[in-house]
Amino acid sequence: MAANDAADLYQAFVDQDPAAAIQVVEHARASGVAQDQLFDVLYAPAMGLLGGAWAAAEIDEITFTQAAVVAEQIGSFVMPPAARRDTGVTVVVGTMHRDHHSIARTIIAATLKEAGHRVNDLGIDVRPADFLERVEETGARIVIVFAELMATARAVARVRELFATSGLDDVVILVSGGPFAADPTLAREVGANGVVPGAESALKLIARVARDRASAEGEA
C-alpha cells in the first residue's frame, strides 16, 4: 500500500467524492492489504486525519459533516469479514438529535461489530423516542449515545427519562463525546451509567456490563 493512501482517502472524504474514496480502498486492496486489515491501516488513519483537521480548524463544520457522511458511505468496503464469534450482546448506538457528528460513533460501532457484538447503529440526529423504539424491538439492554455539543449532551437526560417511564430502568446507557470528557459530572447528571472515551474503552465497558448481567441472572 502506498504510504499516502490514508491521506488520499482523507482528501476524498473532504472532496465529498465517494467514487474516489472507493478507488483508494481498491488500490490498497490491490497492493496486498487484506480485507481484515483495511480498517486499521487505511480507514482509521484517514478518519484520524479528518478529526484532526476539524480540531485544528483546517476545515469548517459543514465540510467536516459532509466528509463524515462520505466516510460512512464507504465504511462497508473496509469492514473485516463477518466471521467473528457472536457474543449474543446487542448494543444500540446513535448520535443524539440535532447532532451530526459521526466519526467516533462509526469507529466504535465498527469495533464492537468486529468483536462479535450485535450492533444496531441508528446513525445521526436520533430522537430519544427512536432509541426507545429500537431497544424495545431488539431487546437490547445496552445503549451508547453520542453527543459532541453541550446542548445535545444535556439532552441525553430525555433518553433516560423515556426509558424510565417505559419501565426500562435496567437499560445501561453509556455516553460518548467531548462534553462528557470535559465534565466528568455531566454523565451522571443526564442519568448515564458510564462514559465511553474511545473504542478500546467501549469494548471493556460492554464486556463488564455483559459479565455483570450474566452474573446477576445466574444468582436470580
Side-chain angles (χ1 to χ4, degrees):
M1 188 179 74
N4 60 347
D5 273 358
D8 290 343
L9 185 58
Y10 157 75
Q11 192 59 51
F13 291 161
V14 172
D15 292 341
Q16 302 164 43
D17 190 341
I22 292 172
Q23 286 179 356
V24 175
V25 174
E26 293 299 334
H27 177 266
R29 188 181 287 125
S31 68
V33 180
Q35 182 66 36
D36 61 359
Q37 297 176 327
L38 284 171
F39 184 90
D40 290 334
V41 304
L42 178 64
Y43 191 73
M47 296 293 268
L49 289 173
L50 182 60
W54 178 68
E58 295 172 359
I59 58 175
D60 60 25
E61 179 75 15
I62 294 176
T63 301
F64 174 77
T65 300
Q66 293 173 334
V69 170
V70 176
E72 277 199 277
Q73 290 175 338
I74 66 111
S76 61
F77 288 85
V78 298
M79 290 299 131
R84 302 286 180 176
R85 178 180 61 89
D86 183 357
T87 65
V89 175
T90 302
V91 185
V92 172
V93 305
T95 302
M96 198 63 196
H97 184 43
R98 294 195 174 91
D99 198 323
H100 292 79
H101 297 86
S102 62
I103 289 181
R105 194 198 74 256
T106 300
I107 292 175
I108 290 175
T111 302
L112 294 177
K113 286 180 182 176
E114 188 177 358
H117 299 312
R118 303 170 184 174
V119 178
N120 279 257
D121 188 350
L122 299 177
I124 60 173
D125 195 21
V126 182
R127 295 176 183 277
D130 296 329
F131 283 105
L132 175 62
E133 181 179 358
R134 188 58 58 90
V135 164
E136 291 177 333
E137 289 175 352
T138 63
R141 286 298 178 269
I142 304 174
V143 175
I144 306 178
V145 183
F146 294 79
E148 293 291 350
L149 307 173
M150 184 55 75
T152 57
R154 291 194 181 284
V156 175
R158 181 58 181 152
V159 179
R160 173 55 79 193
E161 291 170 2
L162 269 182
F163 283 2
T165 57
S166 301
L168 295 172
D169 294 292
D170 62 329
V171 172
V172 172
I173 297 179
L174 304 174
V175 289
S176 183
F180 298 110
D183 182 357
T185 68
L186 182 57
R188 187 168 57 252
E189 291 176 7
V190 300
N193 301 96
V195 178
V196 177
E200 183 176 353
S201 64
L203 289 173
K204 291 179 179 178
L205 279 171
I206 297 299
R208 191 175 77 186
V209 171
R211 187 170 57 249
D212 290 348
R213 284 193 174 279
S215 177
E217 291 173 0
E219 294 174 357

